[in-house]
Amino acid sequence: MNPETIRQLIEQGLPGARADVRGDDGVHFEATVVSDAFRGKLPLARHRMVYATLGDRMGGEIHALQLKTVTPRKPAPPAEPPTSSRPSPCRRSLSKAARR
């Protein structure tokens, strides 16, 4: 078994998921899986979803799979400029100087 095959199986079994799988010895692997399907689910349920995509390969061809399961991050909204009704200190200084 190789990381690329595992990645393909996970991504086919969890539509819309992205998986990054690593492992050098052919039986021990680690994977980070990002899927919106994980939203609202506890880690154990997320892991079971991933294991289901691999079926009987778990415990056979795949001896161990360390998982990190996360939901996609939503982009942060654009920052709004600060609003203030008071003029900046520089502007106030200029205004006082102009009145003299």
Side-chain angles (χ1 to χ4, degrees):
M1 184 63 59
N2 64 61
E4 180 61 19
T5 301
I6 295 171
R7 182 192 65 77
Q8 290 173 354
L9 290 167
I10 293 170
E11 291 180 355
Q12 288 171 1
L14 289 171
R18 291 186 326 272
D20 177 40
V21 183
R22 296 169 192 238
D24 295 328
D25 66 3
V27 292
H28 298 92
F29 301 92
E30 56 187 67
T32 300
V33 184
V34 181
S35 175
D36 198 49
F38 296 148
R39 200 169 301 283
K41 295 194 171 29
L42 295 174
L44 181 59
R46 294 175 178 194
H47 289 204
R48 286 180 177 161
M49 291 169 69
V50 174
Y51 293 144
T53 67
L54 302 171
D56 293 337
R57 293 173 184 88
M58 284 303 305
E61 296 171 77
I62 303 169
H63 176 71
L65 177 63
Q66 180 180 348
L67 287 174
K68 180 178 178 183
T69 53
V70 295
T71 56
R73 290 190 179 138
K74 292 186 177 178
E80 293 184 21
T83 57
S84 175
S85 58
R86 293 182 2 201
S88 71
C90 294
R91 197 167 266 188
R92 258 189 282 152
S93 298
L94 291 175
S95 297
K96 287 180 184 178
R99 283 189 255 162
R100 291 184 189 166

